Amino acid sequence: MARRKLIAGNWKMNCLSADGQALAAGLAAKMKAAGAARFDMAICPPFPLLSTVLAAVAGSAIAVGGQDCHAKEKGAFTGDTSAWMLKDLGCAYVIVGHSERRTYHKESDADIKAKAQAALAAGLKPIVCIGETLEERDAGQTLEVNRRQLHGSLPDGTTADKVVIAYEPVWAIGTGRTATPAQAQEVHAMIRAELVGRLGDGEGNALRILYGGSMNPGNAAELLAQTDIDGGLIGGAALKVDDFWTLAEHSPR
Ligand code: PEP
Protein backbone atom coordinates (compact mmCIF):
# COMPACT_ATOMS: atom_id res chain seq x y z
CA MET A 1 0.00 0.00 0.00
CA ALA A 2 1.33 3.45 -0.93
CA ARG A 3 1.39 5.68 2.12
CA ARG A 4 2.30 9.34 1.68
CA LYS A 5 5.48 10.11 3.62
CA LEU A 6 5.31 12.47 6.59
CA ILE A 7 8.49 14.37 7.38
CA ALA A 8 8.16 15.87 10.87
CA GLY A 9 10.69 18.13 12.56
CA ASN A 10 11.12 18.10 16.34
CA TRP A 11 12.92 21.30 17.23
CA LYS A 12 13.14 20.27 20.91
CA MET A 13 14.26 23.19 23.15
CA ASN A 14 16.00 25.10 20.36
CA CYS A 15 15.55 28.46 18.61
CA LEU A 16 14.74 31.94 19.82
CA SER A 17 11.96 33.73 17.95
CA ALA A 18 14.09 35.22 15.16
CA ASP A 19 15.73 31.85 14.38
CA GLY A 20 12.38 30.04 14.53
CA GLN A 21 10.74 32.59 12.29
CA ALA A 22 13.54 32.35 9.71
CA LEU A 23 13.56 28.54 9.78
CA ALA A 24 9.79 28.25 9.37
CA ALA A 25 9.64 30.97 6.70
CA GLY A 26 12.50 29.33 4.79
CA LEU A 27 10.68 26.00 4.74
CA ALA A 28 7.38 27.62 3.77
CA ALA A 29 9.12 29.34 0.84
CA LYS A 30 10.55 25.97 -0.32
CA MET A 31 7.15 24.31 0.03
CA LYS A 32 5.41 27.03 -1.96
CA ALA A 33 8.07 26.90 -4.67
CA ALA A 34 7.71 23.11 -4.87
CA GLY A 35 4.01 23.42 -5.68
CA ALA A 36 2.52 20.02 -4.94
CA ALA A 37 5.18 18.35 -2.79
CA ARG A 38 5.03 14.55 -2.81
CA PHE A 39 5.38 14.40 0.99
CA ASP A 40 3.62 15.94 3.98
CA MET A 41 5.69 18.14 6.27
CA ALA A 42 5.13 19.14 9.89
CA ILE A 43 7.28 21.17 12.27
CA CYS A 44 7.08 21.04 16.05
CA PRO A 45 8.71 24.07 17.69
CA PRO A 46 8.81 24.82 21.43
CA PHE A 47 5.54 26.22 22.82
CA PRO A 48 6.64 29.90 22.98
CA LEU A 49 7.39 29.86 19.22
CA LEU A 50 4.12 28.29 18.08
CA SER A 51 2.37 31.54 17.14
CA THR A 52 5.43 32.89 15.32
CA VAL A 53 5.86 29.63 13.40
CA LEU A 54 2.16 29.30 12.59
CA ALA A 55 2.22 32.81 11.12
CA ALA A 56 5.39 32.06 9.16
CA VAL A 57 3.96 28.94 7.48
CA ALA A 58 0.44 30.31 6.94
CA GLY A 59 -0.72 29.67 3.38
CA SER A 60 1.83 26.87 2.84
CA ALA A 61 1.15 23.15 3.14
CA ILE A 62 3.36 22.86 6.24
CA ALA A 63 1.54 21.73 9.38
CA VAL A 64 2.59 22.68 12.90
CA GLY A 65 2.58 20.59 16.07
CA GLY A 66 3.37 20.79 19.76
CA GLN A 67 6.03 18.63 21.41
CA ASP A 68 3.84 17.47 24.30
CA CYS A 69 0.45 18.09 25.87
CA HIS A 70 -1.29 17.47 29.17
CA ALA A 71 -3.93 14.75 29.41
CA LYS A 72 -6.53 17.12 30.87
CA GLU A 73 -8.40 19.86 29.06
CA LYS A 74 -7.75 22.58 31.65
CA GLY A 75 -7.15 23.13 35.33
CA ALA A 76 -4.53 23.66 37.99
CA PHE A 77 -1.51 22.23 36.17
CA THR A 78 1.11 24.94 36.36
CA GLY A 79 3.52 24.91 33.46
CA ASP A 80 1.46 22.54 31.33
CA THR A 81 -0.30 23.03 27.99
CA SER A 82 -3.46 21.25 26.92
CA ALA A 83 -4.14 19.65 23.56
CA TRP A 84 -7.13 21.98 23.24
CA MET A 85 -4.83 25.00 23.56
CA LEU A 86 -2.62 23.66 20.79
CA LYS A 87 -5.64 23.03 18.59
CA ASP A 88 -6.99 26.50 19.34
CA LEU A 89 -3.71 28.06 18.15
CA GLY A 90 -3.88 26.20 14.84
CA CYS A 91 -1.74 23.12 15.47
CA ALA A 92 -2.54 19.89 13.65
CA TYR A 93 -0.17 17.50 15.47
CA VAL A 94 1.33 16.86 18.87
CA ILE A 95 4.27 14.59 19.72
CA VAL A 96 3.57 12.38 22.75
CA GLY A 97 5.86 9.93 24.49
CA HIS A 98 9.16 11.17 23.09
CA SER A 99 11.95 9.28 24.84
CA GLU A 100 13.18 12.53 26.38
CA ARG A 101 9.74 12.87 28.05
CA ARG A 102 9.74 9.21 29.04
CA THR A 103 13.21 9.59 30.58
CA TYR A 104 13.35 13.09 32.08
CA HIS A 105 9.67 13.34 33.06
CA LYS A 106 9.19 9.67 33.92
CA GLU A 107 6.21 9.33 31.58
CA SER A 108 4.73 5.85 31.47
CA ASP A 109 2.86 4.18 28.63
CA ALA A 110 -0.38 4.93 30.51
CA ASP A 111 0.53 8.64 30.77
CA ILE A 112 1.29 8.73 27.06
CA LYS A 113 -1.92 6.95 26.15
CA ALA A 114 -3.87 9.52 28.21
CA LYS A 115 -2.10 12.37 26.39
CA ALA A 116 -2.75 10.77 23.00
CA GLN A 117 -6.38 10.29 24.00
CA ALA A 118 -6.61 14.01 24.86
CA ALA A 119 -5.04 14.89 21.52
CA LEU A 120 -7.69 12.89 19.67
CA ALA A 121 -10.47 14.45 21.73
CA ALA A 122 -9.12 17.92 20.92
CA GLY A 123 -8.89 17.16 17.19
CA LEU A 124 -5.09 16.87 17.02
CA LYS A 125 -3.14 13.99 15.48
CA PRO A 126 -0.82 12.50 18.09
CA ILE A 127 2.61 11.33 16.92
CA VAL A 128 3.05 8.50 19.43
CA CYS A 129 6.73 7.69 20.04
CA ILE A 130 8.10 4.32 21.11
CA GLY A 131 11.60 2.86 21.14
CA GLU A 132 14.02 0.64 23.02
CA THR A 133 17.16 1.61 24.92
CA LEU A 134 20.58 0.22 24.04
CA GLU A 135 20.46 -2.09 27.07
CA GLU A 136 17.12 -3.49 25.91
CA ARG A 137 18.45 -4.01 22.37
CA ASP A 138 21.59 -5.71 23.65
CA ALA A 139 19.43 -7.96 25.83
CA GLY A 140 17.45 -9.07 22.76
CA GLN A 141 14.28 -7.33 23.96
CA THR A 142 13.80 -4.88 21.07
CA LEU A 143 10.61 -6.33 19.60
CA GLU A 144 9.06 -7.14 22.96
CA VAL A 145 9.70 -3.63 24.37
CA ASN A 146 8.34 -1.89 21.30
CA ARG A 147 5.29 -4.17 21.20
CA ARG A 148 4.55 -3.39 24.85
CA GLN A 149 5.02 0.37 24.39
CA LEU A 150 2.90 0.33 21.23
CA HIS A 151 -0.12 -1.32 22.82
CA GLY A 152 0.31 0.61 26.09
CA SER A 153 0.55 4.02 24.43
CA LEU A 154 -1.88 3.86 21.48
CA PRO A 155 -5.16 5.65 22.20
CA ASP A 156 -8.55 3.98 21.90
CA GLY A 157 -10.18 4.94 18.62
CA THR A 158 -6.87 4.87 16.72
CA THR A 159 -7.38 5.08 12.97
CA ALA A 160 -4.93 5.69 10.15
CA ASP A 161 -6.05 9.26 9.50
CA LYS A 162 -5.91 10.30 13.15
CA VAL A 163 -2.73 8.79 14.61
CA VAL A 164 0.92 8.54 13.59
CA ILE A 165 3.51 6.28 15.25
CA ALA A 166 7.20 7.10 15.48
CA TYR A 167 9.71 4.33 16.15
CA GLU A 168 12.73 6.01 17.71
CA PRO A 169 15.43 3.74 19.13
CA VAL A 170 16.67 5.69 22.16
CA TRP A 171 20.30 4.87 21.37
CA ALA A 172 19.97 6.57 17.98
CA ILE A 173 18.44 9.86 19.13
CA GLY A 174 20.87 12.77 18.95
CA THR A 175 23.84 10.38 18.97
CA GLY A 176 24.74 10.34 15.30
CA ARG A 177 24.23 6.57 15.46
CA THR A 178 21.40 5.59 13.13
CA ALA A 179 19.60 2.26 13.02
CA THR A 180 20.52 0.48 9.80
CA PRO A 181 17.65 0.36 7.31
CA ALA A 182 17.31 -3.37 8.07
CA GLN A 183 17.22 -2.82 11.85
CA ALA A 184 14.58 -0.12 11.47
CA GLN A 185 12.51 -2.12 8.97
CA GLU A 186 12.50 -5.16 11.28
CA VAL A 187 10.80 -3.12 14.03
CA HIS A 188 8.51 -1.30 11.59
CA ALA A 189 7.37 -4.64 10.16
CA MET A 190 6.53 -5.88 13.68
CA ILE A 191 4.59 -2.65 14.37
CA ARG A 192 2.74 -3.05 11.06
CA ALA A 193 1.76 -6.63 11.91
CA GLU A 194 0.54 -5.54 15.35
CA LEU A 195 -1.48 -2.70 13.82
CA VAL A 196 -3.08 -5.04 11.29
CA GLY A 197 -3.92 -7.45 14.12
CA ARG A 198 -5.41 -4.68 16.22
CA LEU A 199 -7.09 -2.44 13.63
CA GLY A 200 -7.67 -4.77 10.69
CA ASP A 201 -6.07 -4.83 7.25
CA GLY A 202 -7.31 -1.49 5.94
CA GLU A 203 -6.46 0.73 8.91
CA GLY A 204 -3.40 -1.24 9.96
CA ASN A 205 -1.83 -0.98 6.52
CA ALA A 206 -2.72 2.70 6.09
CA LEU A 207 -1.38 4.03 9.41
CA ARG A 208 1.94 5.86 9.05
CA ILE A 209 4.98 4.68 11.01
CA LEU A 210 7.86 7.19 11.10
CA TYR A 211 11.49 6.40 11.90
CA GLY A 212 13.45 8.75 14.14
CA GLY A 213 17.06 8.71 15.32
CA SER A 214 19.88 10.67 13.69
CA MET A 215 18.13 10.74 10.32
CA ASN A 216 19.90 13.19 8.03
CA PRO A 217 20.12 14.09 4.33
CA GLY A 218 22.83 11.44 3.87
CA ASN A 219 20.95 8.44 5.25
CA ALA A 220 17.32 9.41 4.59
CA ALA A 221 16.97 7.91 1.11
CA GLU A 222 17.80 4.38 2.23
CA LEU A 223 15.62 4.58 5.34
CA LEU A 224 12.66 6.11 3.49
CA ALA A 225 12.90 3.38 0.85
CA GLN A 226 12.04 0.66 3.40
CA THR A 227 8.63 -0.95 2.98
CA ASP A 228 7.19 0.11 6.33
CA ILE A 229 9.02 3.41 6.92
CA ASP A 230 6.49 6.09 6.12
CA GLY A 231 8.50 9.17 6.97
CA GLY A 232 10.75 10.54 9.68
CA LEU A 233 10.71 12.34 13.00
CA ILE A 234 13.82 14.45 12.82
CA GLY A 235 15.64 16.37 15.54
CA GLY A 236 19.07 17.83 14.73
CA ALA A 237 18.64 17.87 10.96
CA ALA A 238 15.32 19.74 11.31
CA LEU A 239 17.09 22.89 12.51
CA LYS A 240 18.50 23.96 9.13
CA VAL A 241 16.27 24.76 6.17
CA ASP A 242 18.47 23.10 3.57
CA ASP A 243 19.14 19.95 5.61
CA PHE A 244 15.49 19.41 6.46
CA TRP A 245 14.27 20.15 2.96
CA THR A 246 16.92 17.98 1.29
CA LEU A 247 16.09 15.15 3.68
CA ALA A 248 12.38 15.44 2.86
CA GLU A 249 13.13 15.41 -0.86
CA HIS A 250 14.58 11.93 -0.43
CA SER A 251 11.00 10.69 -0.06
CA PRO A 252 10.61 8.17 -2.88
CA ARG A 253 8.62 9.22 -5.94
C1 PEP B 1 14.12 13.25 17.87
O1 PEP B 1 14.32 14.13 18.68
O2 PEP B 1 12.98 12.79 17.75
C2 PEP B 1 15.24 12.79 17.04
C3 PEP B 1 15.06 11.76 16.27
O3 PEP B 1 16.41 13.49 17.15
P1 PEP B 1 17.71 13.34 16.19
O4 PEP B 1 17.20 13.36 14.78
O5 PEP B 1 18.56 14.53 16.51
O6 PEP B 1 18.34 12.04 16.54
Coordinates of all heavy atoms in Angstrom, one line a residue, residues 111-177:
D111 N 0.5 7.2 30.9 CA 0.5 8.6 30.8 C 0.4 9.0 29.3 O -0.3 10.0 28.9 CB 1.8 9.2 31.3 CG 2.0 9.0 32.8 OD1 1.0 8.9 33.5 OD2 3.2 8.9 33.2
I112 N 1.2 8.4 28.5 CA 1.3 8.7 27.1 C 0.0 8.4 26.4 O -0.5 9.2 25.6 CB 2.5 8.0 26.4 CG1 3.8 8.6 27.0 CG2 2.5 8.1 24.9 CD1 4.9 7.7 27.1
K113 N -0.6 7.3 26.7 CA -1.9 6.9 26.2 C -2.9 8.0 26.5 O -3.7 8.5 25.7 CB -2.4 5.6 26.7 CG -3.8 5.2 26.1 CD -4.2 3.8 26.5 CE -5.6 3.6 26.1 NZ -6.1 2.2 26.4
A114 N -2.9 8.5 27.8 CA -3.9 9.5 28.2 C -3.7 10.8 27.4 O -4.6 11.5 27.1 CB -3.7 9.8 29.7
K115 N -2.4 11.2 27.2 CA -2.1 12.4 26.4 C -2.6 12.2 24.9 O -3.2 13.1 24.4 CB -0.6 12.7 26.4 CG -0.1 13.1 27.8 CD 1.4 13.3 27.8 CE 1.9 13.8 29.2 NZ 3.0 14.7 29.1
A116 N -2.3 11.0 24.4 CA -2.7 10.8 23.0 C -4.3 10.8 22.9 O -4.8 11.3 21.9 CB -2.2 9.4 22.5
Q117 N -4.9 10.3 24.0 CA -6.4 10.3 24.0 C -6.9 11.7 24.0 O -7.9 12.1 23.3 CB -6.8 9.6 25.3 CG -8.2 8.9 25.2 CD -8.1 7.6 24.3 OE1 -7.4 6.7 24.6 NE2 -8.8 7.6 23.2
A118 N -6.2 12.6 24.8 CA -6.6 14.0 24.9 C -6.4 14.7 23.5 O -7.2 15.5 23.0 CB -5.8 14.7 25.9
A119 N -5.3 14.3 22.8 CA -5.0 14.9 21.5 C -6.2 14.6 20.6 O -6.7 15.4 19.9 CB -3.7 14.4 21.0
L120 N -6.6 13.3 20.6 CA -7.7 12.9 19.7 C -9.0 13.6 20.0 O -9.7 14.1 19.1 CB -8.0 11.4 19.8 CG -7.0 10.4 19.1 CD1 -7.5 9.0 19.2 CD2 -6.8 10.8 17.7
A121 N -9.2 13.8 21.3 CA -10.5 14.5 21.7 C -10.4 15.9 21.3 O -11.5 16.5 21.0 CB -10.6 14.3 23.2
A122 N -9.2 16.5 21.3 CA -9.1 17.9 20.9 C -9.1 18.1 19.4 O -9.1 19.3 18.9 CB -7.8 18.5 21.5
G123 N -9.0 17.0 18.7 CA -8.9 17.2 17.2 C -7.5 17.3 16.7 O -7.3 17.8 15.5
L124 N -6.5 16.9 17.5 CA -5.1 16.9 17.0 C -4.7 15.4 16.7 O -5.2 14.5 17.2 CB -4.2 17.3 18.1 CG -4.2 18.8 18.6 CD1 -3.3 18.9 19.8 CD2 -3.8 19.7 17.5
K125 N -3.7 15.3 15.8 CA -3.1 14.0 15.5 C -1.9 13.8 16.4 O -0.9 14.5 16.2 CB -2.7 13.9 14.0 CG -3.8 14.0 13.1 CD -3.3 13.9 11.6 CE -4.5 14.3 10.7 NZ -4.2 14.2 9.3
P126 N -2.0 12.8 17.3 CA -0.8 12.5 18.1 C 0.2 11.7 17.3 O -0.1 10.8 16.5 CB -1.4 11.6 19.2 CG -2.6 11.0 18.7 CD -3.2 12.0 17.7
I127 N 1.5 12.1 17.4 CA 2.6 11.3 16.9 C 3.1 10.6 18.1 O 3.8 11.1 19.0 CB 3.7 12.2 16.3 CG1 3.1 13.1 15.2 CG2 4.9 11.4 15.8 CD1 4.1 14.1 14.6
V128 N 2.8 9.3 18.2 CA 3.1 8.5 19.4 C 4.4 7.8 19.3 O 4.6 7.0 18.4 CB 2.0 7.4 19.6 CG1 2.2 6.6 20.9 CG2 0.6 8.1 19.7
C129 N 5.4 8.2 20.2 CA 6.7 7.7 20.0 C 7.0 6.5 20.9 O 6.5 6.4 22.1 CB 7.7 8.8 20.5 SG 7.6 10.3 19.5
I130 N 7.7 5.5 20.4 CA 8.1 4.3 21.1 C 9.6 4.0 20.7 O 10.0 4.5 19.7 CB 7.2 3.1 20.8 CG1 7.3 2.7 19.3 CG2 5.8 3.3 21.2 CD1 6.5 1.4 19.0
G131 N 10.2 3.2 21.5 CA 11.6 2.9 21.1 C 12.3 2.2 22.3 O 12.1 2.6 23.5
E132 N 13.3 1.4 22.0 CA 14.0 0.6 23.0 C 15.3 1.3 23.3 O 15.9 2.1 22.5 CB 14.3 -0.8 22.6 CG 15.5 -1.0 21.6 CD 15.2 -0.5 20.2 OE1 14.1 -0.1 19.9 OE2 16.2 -0.6 19.4
T133 N 15.8 1.1 24.5 CA 17.2 1.6 24.9 C 18.2 0.6 24.4 O 17.9 -0.5 23.9 CB 17.3 1.7 26.5 OG1 17.2 0.3 27.0 CG2 16.3 2.6 27.1
L134 N 19.5 1.1 24.5 CA 20.6 0.2 24.0 C 20.7 -1.1 24.9 O 20.9 -2.2 24.4 CB 21.9 1.0 24.1 CG 23.1 0.3 23.5 CD1 22.8 0.0 22.0 CD2 24.3 1.2 23.6
E135 N 20.4 -0.9 26.2 CA 20.5 -2.1 27.1 C 19.4 -3.1 26.6 O 19.6 -4.3 26.6 CB 20.2 -1.7 28.5 CG 21.3 -0.8 29.2 CD 21.4 0.6 28.6 OE1 20.3 1.2 28.2 OE2 22.5 1.1 28.5
E136 N 18.2 -2.6 26.3 CA 17.1 -3.5 25.9 C 17.5 -4.2 24.6 O 17.2 -5.4 24.4 CB 15.8 -2.7 25.8 CG 15.3 -2.3 27.2 CD 14.2 -1.2 27.2 OE1 14.1 -0.5 26.2 OE2 13.5 -1.1 28.2
R137 N 18.1 -3.4 23.7 CA 18.5 -4.0 22.4 C 19.5 -5.1 22.6 O 19.4 -6.2 22.1 CB 19.0 -2.9 21.4 CG 19.5 -3.5 20.1 CD 19.6 -2.5 19.0 NE 18.4 -2.2 18.4 CZ 17.8 -2.8 17.3 NH1 18.5 -3.8 16.7 NH2 16.7 -2.5 16.8
D138 N 20.5 -4.7 23.4 CA 21.6 -5.7 23.7 C 21.1 -7.0 24.4 O 21.6 -8.0 24.2 CB 22.7 -5.1 24.5 CG 23.5 -4.1 23.6 OD1 23.4 -4.1 22.4 OD2 24.3 -3.2 24.2
A139 N 20.0 -6.8 25.1 CA 19.4 -8.0 25.8 C 18.5 -8.7 25.0 O 17.8 -9.7 25.4 CB 18.7 -7.5 27.1
G140 N 18.3 -8.3 23.7 CA 17.5 -9.1 22.8 C 16.0 -8.8 23.0 O 15.1 -9.6 22.6
Q141 N 15.7 -7.6 23.6 CA 14.3 -7.3 24.0 C 13.6 -6.3 23.0 O 12.6 -5.8 23.4 CB 14.2 -6.8 25.4 CG 14.7 -7.8 26.4 CD 15.0 -7.2 27.8 OE1 15.0 -5.9 27.9 NE2 15.2 -8.0 28.8
T142 N 14.3 -6.0 21.9 CA 13.8 -4.9 21.1 C 12.3 -5.0 20.7 O 11.5 -4.1 20.9 CB 14.7 -4.8 19.8 OG1 16.0 -4.5 20.2 CG2 14.2 -3.7 18.9
L143 N 12.0 -6.2 20.1 CA 10.6 -6.3 19.6 C 9.6 -6.3 20.7 O 8.5 -5.7 20.7 CB 10.5 -7.6 18.7 CG 11.4 -7.6 17.5 CD1 11.2 -8.8 16.6 CD2 11.1 -6.3 16.6
E144 N 10.0 -7.0 21.8 CA 9.1 -7.1 23.0 C 8.8 -5.8 23.6 O 7.7 -5.4 23.9 CB 9.8 -8.1 24.0 CG 9.2 -8.2 25.3 CD 10.2 -8.9 26.2 OE1 11.1 -9.7 25.8 OE2 10.1 -8.7 27.5
V145 N 9.9 -5.0 23.8 CA 9.7 -3.6 24.4 C 8.8 -2.7 23.5 O 7.9 -2.1 24.0 CB 11.1 -3.0 24.6 CG1 11.0 -1.5 24.9 CG2 11.8 -3.7 25.7
N146 N 9.1 -2.8 22.2 CA 8.3 -1.9 21.3 C 6.9 -2.3 21.2 O 6.0 -1.5 21.1 CB 9.0 -1.8 19.9 CG 10.2 -0.9 19.9 OD1 10.0 0.3 20.0 ND2 11.4 -1.4 19.9
R147 N 6.7 -3.6 21.2 CA 5.3 -4.2 21.2 C 4.5 -3.7 22.4 O 3.4 -3.2 22.4 CB 5.3 -5.7 21.1 CG 4.0 -6.3 20.8 CD 4.1 -7.9 20.7 NE 4.9 -8.3 19.5 CZ 6.0 -9.0 19.6 NH1 6.6 -9.2 20.8 NH2 6.7 -9.3 18.5
R148 N 5.2 -3.8 23.6 CA 4.6 -3.4 24.8 C 4.2 -1.9 24.8 O 3.1 -1.4 25.2 CB 5.5 -3.7 26.0 CG 4.8 -3.5 27.4 CD 5.8 -3.9 28.5 NE 6.9 -3.0 28.6 CZ 8.2 -3.3 28.6 NH1 8.5 -4.6 28.6 NH2 9.1 -2.4 28.7
Q149 N 5.2 -1.1 24.4 CA 5.0 0.4 24.4 C 3.9 0.7 23.4 O 3.1 1.6 23.7 CB 6.3 1.1 24.0 CG 7.4 1.0 25.1 CD 8.6 1.9 24.8 OE1 8.7 2.5 23.8 NE2 9.6 1.8 25.7
L150 N 3.9 0.0 22.3 CA 2.9 0.3 21.2 C 1.5 0.1 21.8 O 0.7 1.1 21.8 CB 3.1 -0.6 20.0 CG 2.1 -0.5 18.9 CD1 2.3 0.8 18.1 CD2 2.2 -1.7 18.0
H151 N 1.2 -1.0 22.4 CA -0.1 -1.3 22.8 C -0.5 -0.5 24.1 O -1.6 -0.2 24.3 CB -0.3 -2.8 23.0 CG -0.3 -3.6 21.7 ND1 -1.3 -3.4 20.8 CD2 0.5 -4.5 21.2 CE1 -1.1 -4.1 19.7 NE2 0.0 -4.8 19.9
G152 N 0.6 -0.2 24.9 CA 0.3 0.6 26.1 C 0.1 2.1 25.8 O -0.5 2.8 26.6
S153 N 0.6 2.6 24.7 CA 0.6 4.0 24.4 C -0.5 4.4 23.4 O -0.9 5.6 23.3 CB 1.9 4.5 23.9 OG 3.0 4.0 24.7
L154 N -0.9 3.5 22.5 CA -1.9 3.9 21.5 C -3.2 4.2 22.1 O -3.8 3.5 22.9 CB -2.1 2.7 20.5 CG -1.2 2.6 19.2 CD1 -1.8 1.6 18.3 CD2 -1.1 4.0 18.5
P155 N -3.9 5.3 21.6 CA -5.2 5.7 22.2 C -6.3 4.8 21.6 O -6.2 4.2 20.5 CB -5.3 7.1 21.7 CG -4.5 7.2 20.5 CD -3.4 6.3 20.7
D156 N -7.4 4.6 22.4 CA -8.6 4.0 21.9 C -9.1 4.8 20.7 O -9.0 6.1 20.8 CB -9.6 3.9 23.0 CG -9.1 3.1 24.2 OD1 -8.3 2.3 24.0 OD2 -9.6 3.4 25.3
G157 N -9.6 4.2 19.8 CA -10.2 4.9 18.6 C -9.1 5.3 17.6 O -9.3 6.1 16.7
T158 N -7.9 4.6 17.7 CA -6.9 4.9 16.7 C -7.3 4.5 15.3 O -7.9 3.4 15.1 CB -5.6 4.0 17.1 OG1 -5.0 4.6 18.3 CG2 -4.6 4.1 16.0
T159 N -7.2 5.4 14.4 CA -7.4 5.1 13.0 C -6.2 5.7 12.2 O -5.5 6.6 12.7 CB -8.7 5.6 12.4 OG1 -8.7 7.1 12.7 CG2 -9.9 5.0 13.1
A160 N -6.1 5.3 11.0 CA -4.9 5.7 10.2 C -4.9 7.2 9.9 O -3.8 7.8 9.7 CB -4.9 4.9 8.8
D161 N -6.1 7.8 9.8 CA -6.0 9.3 9.5 C -5.9 10.1 10.8 O -5.7 11.3 10.6 CB -7.3 9.7 8.7 CG -8.6 9.3 9.5 OD1 -8.5 8.4 10.4 OD2 -9.6 10.0 9.3
K162 N -5.9 9.5 11.9 CA -5.9 10.3 13.1 C -4.6 10.2 14.0 O -4.4 11.0 14.9 CB -7.1 9.9 14.0 CG -8.4 10.3 13.5 CD -9.5 10.1 14.6 CE -10.9 10.4 14.1 NZ -11.8 9.4 14.6
V163 N -3.9 9.1 13.8 CA -2.7 8.8 14.6 C -1.5 8.5 13.8 O -1.6 7.9 12.7 CB -3.1 7.6 15.6 CG1 -1.8 7.2 16.4 CG2 -4.2 7.9 16.5
V164 N -0.4 8.9 14.2 CA 0.9 8.5 13.6 C 1.8 7.9 14.7 O 1.7 8.3 15.8 CB 1.6 9.8 13.1 CG1 3.0 9.5 12.5 CG2 0.8 10.5 12.0
I165 N 2.6 6.9 14.3 CA 3.5 6.3 15.2 C 4.9 6.6 14.8 O 5.2 6.7 13.6 CB 3.3 4.7 15.3 CG1 2.0 4.4 15.8 CG2 4.4 4.1 16.1 CD1 1.5 3.0 15.5
A166 N 5.8 6.9 15.8 CA 7.2 7.1 15.5 C 8.0 6.1 16.2 O 8.0 6.0 17.5 CB 7.6 8.5 15.8
Y167 N 8.8 5.2 15.5 CA 9.7 4.3 16.1 C 11.0 5.1 16.2 O 11.6 5.4 15.2 CB 9.9 3.0 15.3 CG 11.1 2.2 15.8 CD1 11.3 1.8 17.1 CD2 12.1 1.9 14.9 CE1 12.4 1.2 17.5 CE2 13.2 1.2 15.3 CZ 13.4 0.9 16.6 OH 14.5 0.2 17.0
E168 N 11.5 5.3 17.5 CA 12.7 6.0 17.7 C 13.6 5.2 18.7 O 13.4 5.4 19.9 CB 12.4 7.4 18.3 CG 11.6 8.3 17.4 CD 11.9 9.7 17.7 OE1 11.6 10.2 18.8 OE2 12.3 10.4 16.8
P169 N 14.5 4.4 18.2 CA 15.4 3.7 19.1 C 16.2 4.8 20.0 O 16.8 5.7 19.4 CB 16.4 2.9 18.2 CG 16.2 3.5 16.8 CD 14.9 4.2 16.8
V170 N 16.1 4.7 21.3 CA 16.7 5.7 22.2 C 18.2 5.9 21.9 O 18.7 7.0 21.9 CB 16.4 5.3 23.6 CG1 17.0 6.4 24.6 CG2 14.9 5.2 23.9
W171 N 18.9 4.8 21.6 CA 20.3 4.9 21.4 C 20.7 5.6 20.1 O 21.8 5.9 19.8 CB 20.9 3.4 21.4 CG 20.1 2.5 20.5 CD1 19.1 1.7 20.9 CD2 20.4 2.2 19.1 NE1 18.6 1.0 19.8 CE2 19.4 1.2 18.7 CE3 21.3 2.7 18.2 CZ2 19.3 0.7 17.4 CZ3 21.2 2.2 16.9 CH2 20.2 1.2 16.5
A172 N 19.7 5.9 19.3 CA 20.0 6.6 18.0 C 19.6 8.1 18.0 O 19.9 8.8 17.1 CB 19.2 5.9 16.8
I173 N 18.9 8.5 19.1 CA 18.4 9.9 19.1 C 19.5 10.8 19.5 O 20.1 10.7 20.7 CB 17.2 10.0 20.1 CG1 16.1 9.1 19.6 CG2 16.8 11.4 20.2 CD1 14.9 9.2 20.5
G174 N 19.9 11.7 18.7 CA 20.9 12.8 18.9 C 22.3 12.2 19.1 O 23.2 12.9 19.6
T175 N 22.5 11.0 18.7 CA 23.8 10.4 19.0 C 24.7 10.3 17.7 O 25.9 10.0 17.8 CB 23.7 8.9 19.5 OG1 22.9 8.2 18.5 CG2 22.9 8.9 20.8
G176 N 24.0 10.5 16.6 CA 24.7 10.3 15.3 C 24.8 8.9 14.9 O 25.3 8.5 13.8
R177 N 24.2 8.0 15.7 CA 24.2 6.6 15.5 C 22.8 6.2 15.0 O 21.9 6.2 15.7 CB 24.6 5.8 16.8 CG 25.0 4.4 16.5 CD 25.3 3.8 17.9 NE 25.0 2.4 17.7 CZ 25.1 1.5 18.7 NH1 25.4 1.9 19.9 NH2 24.8 0.2 18.5

